Amino acid sequence: MSFTSDGRPENRRTVTDPRALRALAHPLRLALLDHLMSFGASTASDCAEAVGSTPSNCSYHLRALAKFGLVERVEAEDGRERPWQSTATGLTLGRTEDPAAQFGVDTVERFFADHQIDEDAARLHRAIAQRDSVPEAWREASILSGYALRIAPDELRQLGERLDALIRPYIALTRSDAPDDSAVVVLNLNAFRHPDEKDEATES
């Protein structure tokens, strides 16, 4: 899958509308959004090939996402099938004062997290399986590292902000100065208190 960056302005959207959240709570729709945010505008046929579905099924779910302004049609360069693009370059789930709506946000947030973990693991397994066919320069540049940090909550928050500032200039949809030999790269950063860490109160 080739990718040509159009250097779009950054547009990180916070989603709080319960209807939009329900629309997002579907694995295929998340996969379609992920593909569009990674590779830019794509036709339903291209999306189908990327996510392992059919063009008609992808068209249906893309239209569902379009109802809530999450994707939109763009003009086709060749006058044929019009491609779709994500309307935002990043999505977050926002807080709301409505307890019922917040329950929906929390539910979708957990669904997002579980789906993302599964997708990240699947991509990593595919990358490892394809490692021998990847150019040597990419093999040597790839990173697969894990760290156990001793850190306070405020320090972790500051670290996340510093890492985000370093990474953001390379976001695929918004970068306009990418070198000719660039490609779309998956970068995942997960940082959370170790689930086996014990609270002092429970140890006493």
Side-chain angles (χ1 to χ4, degrees):
M1 178 68 65
S2 62
F3 174 81
T4 302
S5 175
D6 54 6
R8 291 169 54 183
E10 185 171 8
N11 176 20
R12 292 170 62 81
R13 179 175 302 175
T14 300
V15 180
T16 56
D17 184 342
R19 297 170 302 168
L21 291 170
R22 284 195 295 271
L24 285 170
H26 190 289
L28 182 57
R29 292 174 187 173
L30 288 181
L32 290 168
L33 265 181
D34 180 73
H35 176 72
L36 295 177
M37 287 184 176
S38 296
F39 292 96
S42 301
T43 64
S45 297
D46 289 336
C47 288
E49 182 179 353
V51 303
S53 185
T54 65
S56 60
N57 197 31
C58 287
S59 292
Y60 170 80
H61 288 290
L62 286 164
R63 289 195 300 271
L65 292 170
K67 289 180 181 178
F68 301 101
L70 298 170
V71 301
E72 64 185 1
R73 291 273 204 179
V74 293
E75 291 300 321
E77 294 181 358
D78 58 7
R80 297 182 180 179
E81 183 182 359
R82 292 178 63 194
W84 295 86
Q85 72 174 9
S86 61
T87 56
T89 58
L91 291 179
T92 57
L93 305 183
R95 304 285 96 183
T96 175
E97 299 300 322
D98 183 346
Q102 186 56 50
F103 176 78
V105 172
D106 293 339
T107 300
V108 174
E109 196 167 48
R110 286 193 296 271
F111 176 81
F112 266 30
D114 288 338
H115 174 81
Q116 191 65 48
I117 290 168
D118 291 341
E119 286 297 303
D120 291 344
R123 273 192 293 261
L124 180 55
H125 285 304
R126 292 203 306 274
I128 292 172
Q130 298 168 10
R131 178 177 172 82
D132 291 342
S133 63
V134 171
E136 183 178 357
W138 283 109
R139 290 201 303 270
E140 293 179 351
S142 297
I143 303 168
L144 184 58
S145 301
Y147 308 89
L149 310 180
R150 176 66 65 181
I151 196 167
D154 284 344
E155 291 177 314
L156 180 58
R157 187 177 300 106
Q158 292 170 15
L159 177 60
E161 292 171 352
R162 290 165 61 189
L163 289 171
D164 183 75
L166 286 172
I167 295 165
R168 192 144 300 284
Y170 303 99
I171 297 297
L173 285 186
T174 59
R175 189 177 187 191
S176 58
D177 62 347
D180 291 339
D181 62 346
S182 65
V184 174
V185 168
V186 177
L187 174 62
N188 299 310
L189 289 174
N190 299 311
F192 46 87
R193 198 181 83 152
H194 199 297
D196 296 336
E197 175 82 348
K198 304 297 183 183
D199 289 322
E200 291 183 2
T202 62
E203 294 178 344
S204 60

